[in-house]
């Protein structure tokens, strides 16, 4: 029998048995046809048009990442696909809720459109929480009719993470519950993804009852066990990979109830460390067997998304696979997509030059005039000489913040924040809708000098500015405004780093390796100002995320996330 390709003498990972079996693999029409056992297989009956000597390498299914946001890397899908392939990732389920927050359903459709020619299969999730709450202004929204449109016109894999868990519990008539009720009624088989940090007991069960079937947020042993025992699927990202979590997974029979995901990966770590392969390698280093780690990055994510055509090396399955020279170090030699070689470590691997692939108005989304010193003054009508104000305290190791109260002097009707030990955080609505702006103060593991401005601020992507003096804040903010979006770091009137993000104010069309260098410079510049955080870029960009505890800021004001309300800057 003649086939397109035979890969001989490889140690093939059998997902059903969770072990490697030495054999030959025959591929026909982009799918696996026959996997022989060298000891007893009928491999001599198969003739390949092309034969590859596997030289005893390990063959595993292509890695599958079912929860991530391409926009977190700040590059386009084409650049993202280029990076994924060399890291052994062949299928992803991205949720473009950042682009949806800027452009609504059009943003989702344009992301899908530019993904169609990518090597990696990108099967999209419908953004379910745009905006994440009713306490912020976004450029676009996703409504029930938009969900119907996407399910009618596009091949959508699931309903993306339901973020507003507070309203699910407290407000039966909120938009989120309306969406959940609509989906359960009209699309009962549609997978619903979740985002429910720290929720436990009755509140957790009410969220699951509403239809939410997974959680990818920061896990504890207690929280993870409570979710698994209630039937919730765990999508484990790197920040949850503590030793006690890994030990729990090894000591309990829960392999079917979790998988590995990346969620958000910065461009520099993508290039320097890898992607989902980095998570798998880390799990192995922490004591998980290679078989268990590979299973959690191939079989269980495919099963969670009902992708029964992949994630396994077996007859009839899509021939996406990776050849590894070293299993424990997860060293990738070659990557194949649908039976075709798409990456070879021994050969040059260049990213094609990308072009202007989005509609013209995607490059003109920042509708905000230039700012001046007065825009960073906090006025007060109080006659007191001191006021107690809320302060957002940044914590290394987490994107969560804490609320702190501190006294600030009042001079000539202004809060004298520049004379305090704290900085200012301000946000400006940038879509030309209402001109909203809000102010707060910030401390903890954040910058001690200079200023940072960005339109890459989850999830509303309004202009966010953090600084220790108004002059640097003005310069950073105006650099971003004039560039139609991006990141800018300033100290003493000098620009230390500037990453232009002209596509919707959140993406660059620069090649991945170039974007990685810019992001690395950005990270180093932030750290030079005293930012102490494992991921300062993600930290600052989530200061405006009103579903991430505990005190955040939007153009509506300071948000008490746990209560789901806007709270005043001055403590009553």
């Amino acid at each position: 029998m003649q086939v397109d390709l035979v890969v001989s003498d490889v140690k093939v990972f059998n997902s059903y048995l969770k072990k490697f079996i030495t054999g030959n693999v025959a591929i026909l029409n982009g799918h696996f046809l026959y996997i022989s056992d060298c000891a007893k297989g009928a491999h001599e009956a198969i003739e390949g048009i092309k034969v590859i000597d596997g030289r005893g390498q390990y063959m595993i299914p292509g890695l599958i990442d079912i929860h991530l946001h391409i926009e977190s890397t700040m590059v386009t899908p084409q650049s993202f696909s280029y990076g994924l392939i060399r890291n052994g990732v062949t299928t992803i389920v991205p949720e473009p809720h950042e682009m949806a927050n800027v452009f609504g359903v059009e943003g989702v459709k344009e992301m899908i459109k530019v993904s169609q020619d990518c090597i990696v299969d990108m099967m999209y999730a419908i953004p379910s929480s745009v905006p994440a709450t009713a306490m912020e202004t976004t450029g676009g929204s996703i409504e029930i009719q938009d969900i119907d449109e996407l399910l009618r016109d596009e091949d959508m894999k699931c309903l993306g993470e339901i973020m507003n868990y507070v309203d699910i519990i407290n407000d039966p008539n909120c938009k989120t519950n309306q969406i959940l009720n609509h989906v359960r009624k009209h699309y009962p088989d549609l997978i619903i993804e979740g985002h429910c940090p720290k929720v436990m007991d009755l509140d957790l069960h009410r969220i699951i009852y509403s239809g939410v079937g997974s959680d990818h947020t920061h896990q504890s042993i207690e929280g993870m066990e409570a979710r698994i025992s209630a039937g919730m699927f765990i999508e484990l990202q790197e920040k949850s990979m503590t030793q006690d979590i890994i030990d729990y997974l090894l000591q309990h029979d829960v392999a079917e109830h979790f998988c590995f995901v990346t969620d958000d990966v910065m461009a520099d770590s993508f290039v320097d460390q890898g992607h989902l392969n980095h998570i798998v390698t880390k799990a192995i280093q922490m004591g998980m067997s290679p078989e268990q780690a590979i299973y959690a990055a191939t079989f269980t994510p495919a099963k969670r998304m009902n992708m029964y055509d992949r994630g396994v090396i077996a007859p009839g399955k899509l021939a996406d696979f990776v050849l590894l020279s070293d299993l424990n170090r997860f060293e990738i030699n070659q990557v194949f997509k649908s039976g075709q070689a798409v990456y070879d470590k021994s050969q040059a691997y260049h990213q094609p030059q990308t072009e202007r692939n989005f509609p013209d108005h995607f490059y003109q989304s920042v509708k905000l005039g230039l700012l001046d010193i007065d825009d960073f003054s906090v006025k007060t009508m109080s006659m007191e000489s001191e006021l107690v104000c809320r302060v957002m305290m940044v914590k290394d190791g987490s994107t969560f913040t804490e609320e702190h109260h501190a006294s600030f002097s009042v001079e000539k009707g202004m809060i004298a924040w520049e004379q305090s030990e704290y900085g200012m955080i301000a946000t400006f609505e940038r879509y030309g809708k209402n001109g909203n702006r809000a102010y707060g103060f910030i401390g903890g593991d954040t910058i001690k000098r200079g200023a940072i401005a960005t339109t890459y601020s989850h999830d509303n992507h309004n202009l966010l500015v953090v600084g220790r003096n108004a002059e640097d804040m003005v310069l950073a903010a105006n650099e971003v405004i004039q560039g139609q979006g991006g990141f800018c770091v300033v100290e003493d009137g000098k620009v230390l780093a500037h990453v232009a993000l002209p596509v919707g104010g959140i993406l660059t069309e620069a090649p991945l390796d170039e974007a990685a260098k810019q992001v690395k410079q950005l990270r180093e510049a932030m750290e030079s100002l005293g930012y102490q955080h494992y991921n300062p870029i993600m930290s600052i960009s989530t200061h405006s995320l009103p579903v991430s505890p505990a005190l955040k800021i939007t153009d509506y004001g300071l948000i008490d996330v746990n209560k789901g309300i806007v709270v005043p800057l001055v403590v009553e």
Side-chain angles (χ1 to χ4, degrees):
M1 182 178 181
Q2 191 174 72
V3 297
D4 299 322
L5 174 66
V6 170
V7 184
S8 64
D9 186 25
V10 281
K11 300 179 182 72
V12 183
F13 182 62
N14 186 299
S15 303
Y16 305 114
L17 301 177
K18 296 180 187 175
K19 69 177 184 179
F20 285 90
I21 299 171
T22 300
N24 302 326
V25 178
I27 295 165
L28 180 65
N29 297 327
H31 294 74
F32 297 113
L33 171 67
Y34 177 56
I35 298 89
S36 73
D37 184 330
C38 274
K40 52 190 175 183
H43 46 270
E44 67 278 356
I46 301 292
E47 178 184 347
I49 296 174
K50 182 177 181 180
V51 178
I52 295 175
D53 183 357
R55 305 186 312 279
Q57 295 180 94
Y58 297 88
M59 177 188 282
I60 67 167
L63 304 183
I64 299 172
D65 192 344
I66 62 170
H67 181 84
L68 58 87
H69 309 284
I70 294 173
E71 303 99 314
S72 294
T73 310
M74 296 184 273
V75 297
T76 60
Q78 297 96 325
S79 292
F80 201 74
S81 175
Y82 162 82
L84 290 174
I85 286 297
R86 65 185 179 189
N87 288 292
V89 182
T90 54
T91 299
I92 61 172
V93 182
E95 182 188 340
H97 73 214
E98 315 303 346
M99 194 62 87
N101 271 280
V102 181
F103 295 113
V105 71
E106 183 188 16
V108 178
K109 289 192 169 188
E110 288 298 328
M111 287 291 281
I112 294 172
K113 181 180 177 181
V114 299
S115 301
Q116 290 174 349
D117 294 329
C118 293
I119 295 174
V120 171
D121 286 336
M122 300 185 179
M123 304 178 181
Y124 279 80
I126 301 173
S128 65
S129 304
V130 179
T133 70
M135 299 176 290
E136 56 194 312
T137 302
T138 59
S141 66
I142 298 293
E143 307 297 333
I144 287 176
Q145 61 267 29
D146 298 318
I147 293 173
D148 289 337
E149 179 182 345
L150 287 168
L151 286 170
R152 181 181 64 248
D153 298 344
E154 309 287 351
D155 182 17
M156 310 304 296
K157 187 53 64 176
C158 63
L159 186 66
E161 58 180 302
I162 296 289
M163 300 183 71
N164 197 349
Y165 59 94
V166 175
D167 275 3
I168 292 178
I169 299 165
N170 297 322
D171 185 0
N173 297 315
C174 70
K175 175 182 172 181
T176 301
N177 278 323
Q178 291 176 27
I179 288 174
L180 287 169
N181 292 336
H182 180 79
V183 168
R184 289 202 311 271
K185 179 179 180 180
H186 296 282
Y187 313 100
D189 296 327
L190 187 66
I191 298 161
I192 302 175
E193 295 283 89
H195 169 113
C196 43
K198 297 188 175 182
V199 181
M200 295 290 283
D201 198 43
L202 176 59
D203 287 345
L204 174 63
H205 285 220
R206 290 177 67 183
I207 290 171
I208 297 171
Y209 180 85
S210 74
V212 175
S214 71
D215 183 32
H216 71 275
T217 59
H218 200 164
Q219 298 296 331
S220 64
I221 291 291
E222 180 186 20
M224 186 171 67
E225 186 169 61
R227 283 155 175 73
I228 292 174
S229 67
M232 185 172 262
F233 188 80
I234 300 296
E235 296 167 0
L236 207 68
Q237 56 176 296
E238 185 173 11
K239 67 182 178 182
S240 292
M241 292 176 65
T242 57
Q243 193 61 55
D244 60 339
I245 291 284
I246 296 297
D247 291 344
Y248 179 91
L249 298 175
L250 296 177
Q251 294 163 9
H252 297 80
D253 185 17
V254 294
E256 303 305 316
H257 307 295
F258 82 94
C259 74
F260 292 125
V261 299
T262 58
D263 196 8
D264 304 295
V265 176
M266 297 292 102
D268 56 341
S269 59
F270 195 172
V271 170
D272 295 340
Q273 297 180 340
H275 198 259
L276 192 59
N277 57 317
H278 167 68
I279 303 291
V280 173
T281 305
K282 184 172 182 176
I284 295 170
Q285 293 171 344
M286 295 178 73
M288 190 172 283
S289 73
E291 291 84 353
Q292 291 169 304
I294 293 165
Y295 191 79
T298 55
F299 189 87
T300 51
K303 184 178 178 182
R304 166 66 184 163
M305 287 293 150
N306 295 333
M307 295 188 290
Y308 299 116
D309 64 338
R310 66 193 68 209
V312 185
I313 298 174
K317 306 299 183 182
L318 197 62
D320 294 352
F321 62 94
V322 181
L323 295 180
L324 305 171
S325 57
D326 188 298
L327 188 60
N328 289 300
R329 290 187 293 181
F330 212 77
E331 291 188 358
I332 296 172
N333 274 352
Q334 288 180 285
V335 179
F336 290 74
K337 185 76 185 71
S338 300
Q340 299 293 318
V342 290
Y343 172 76
D344 190 319
K345 184 180 179 180
S346 66
Q347 299 176 7
Y349 182 61
H350 300 296
Q351 180 179 347
Q353 193 66 36
T354 55
E355 299 177 358
R356 196 175 166 108
N357 288 316
F358 291 88
D360 287 345
H361 64 279
F362 275 49
Y363 302 88
Q364 299 292 328
S365 66
V366 179
K367 299 177 174 62
L368 180 64
L370 297 179
L371 304 178
D372 58 32
I373 292 292
D374 289 341
D375 292 307
F376 295 97
S377 300
V378 183
K379 300 176 177 63
T380 177
M381 300 296 292
S382 174
M383 303 306 293
E384 303 291 332
S385 60
E386 282 193 352
L387 292 173
V388 176
C389 298
R390 288 180 168 84
V391 180
M392 181 190 301
M393 299 299 288
V394 179
K395 296 168 55 182
D396 188 8
S398 175
T399 53
F400 297 165
T401 61
E402 293 180 350
E403 179 177 323
H404 175 66
H405 295 171
S407 294
F408 290 79
S409 298
V410 177
E411 298 178 1
K412 298 179 181 180
M414 305 282 188
I415 297 178
W417 66 271
E418 288 184 85
Q419 283 72 57
S420 75
E421 62 180 289
Y422 302 104
M424 172 186 279
I425 182 168
T427 187
F428 302 84
E429 185 271 318
R430 58 101 159 178
Y431 299 103
K433 291 188 172 183
N434 52 39
N436 282 355
R437 57 181 60 188
Y439 301 93
F441 301 122
I442 192 166
D445 297 327
T446 186
I447 60 172
K448 308 301 184 289
R449 302 172 298 281
I452 305 169
T454 184
T455 49
Y456 187 86
S457 54
H458 292 297
D459 277 341
N460 47 71
H461 300 295
N462 286 309
L463 177 66
L464 183 74
V465 191
V466 172
R468 289 288 178 160
N469 67 83
E471 289 83 3
D472 283 347
M473 295 178 80
V474 170
L475 176 56
N478 287 340
E479 285 287 321
V480 170
I481 293 169
Q482 290 173 321
Q484 278 297 310
F487 257 103
C488 186
V489 180
V490 170
E491 183 179 16
D492 295 333
K494 180 182 178 182
V495 174
L496 302 184
H498 185 200
V499 178
L501 302 173
V503 183
I506 59 175
L507 297 183
T508 174
E509 289 182 304
L512 177 61
D513 292 345
E514 180 181 324
K517 291 178 182 177
Q518 294 178 2
V519 169
K520 185 177 182 179
Q521 292 172 353
L522 171 66
R523 186 193 301 269
E524 292 172 349
M526 295 173 73
E527 291 171 346
S528 76
L529 299 184
Y531 215 124
Q532 298 175 321
H533 200 278
Y534 77 98
N535 190 340
I537 299 171
M538 185 55 62
S539 172
I540 196 170
S541 68
T542 54
H543 289 351
S544 58
L545 183 60
V547 293
S548 175
L551 184 68
K552 297 297 171 75
I553 190 171
T554 73
D555 62 302
Y556 280 47
L558 292 171
I559 309 296
D560 183 322
V561 175
N562 294 325
K563 293 180 181 178
I565 60 173
V566 179
V567 292
L569 172 62
V570 177
V571 179
E572 299 295 337

